[in-house]
Each structure stands twice: as structure tokens, then as C-alpha cells.
Amino acid sequence: MLERTVSEKLEETYATEDFSIQFVEELSKDSILVSYQLEGNEPTFISFYERDNGHLVLVNTRELEE
């Protein structure tokens, strides 16, 4: 369920369904860490989300260094 919610948020953020999620980790009740890669793009991104009234809110995104 959580991965589906994150997937929907990524679709909304990037206006595409062309990405692959490496992992979704719930750090606490209100914080989530996500690793993903956009298709056709080499870098992997990691995003930190927090829940606000049941909605995921993007706090920070970084490109992972190789």
C-alpha cells in the first residue's frame, strides 16, 4: 500500500509513469525514505517525504553519488 502511494506521488511529481522504485522505507509513523530511478536516466534519486494530515509532502530530494 505504501509503495503504491509513493508511486502515485512520483507520477504526480514527474508527470510520468516511467520510473523504477528501488526501495520504500518507513522511517517513522510520519516519515518515508524512497530510492528511485527515472527511466532513461542514469542517476538514482533518494527522496524524503513526511506525512501531513495523511498526505505525503516532499521534503528533500538528492541525487545519489556513484
Side-chain angles (χ1 to χ4, degrees):
M1 167 112 173
L2 181 58
E3 188 166 328
R4 187 179 70 167
T5 302
V6 168
S7 180
E8 290 170 358
K9 192 66 175 175
L10 289 173
E11 286 176 25
E12 178 184 307
T13 301
Y14 291 106
T16 184
E17 295 177 4
D18 294 335
F19 54 83
S20 59
I21 296 174
Q22 278 76 41
F23 71 82
V24 176
E25 185 174 338
E26 195 162 13
L27 301 175
S28 71
K29 185 179 101 175
D30 294 321
S31 61
I32 299 164
L33 194 62
V34 181
S35 174
Y36 59 95
Q37 186 173 30
L38 299 173
E39 296 298 325
N41 227 352
E42 291 298 318
T44 298
F45 296 94
I46 193 159
S47 293
F48 178 70
Y49 289 90
E50 289 185 342
R51 283 195 181 98
D52 182 26
N53 292 323
H55 300 283
L56 289 181
V57 177
L58 179 63
V59 175
N60 198 353
T61 297
R62 294 196 183 255
E63 183 178 324
L64 292 179
E65 302 284 327
E66 294 293 323

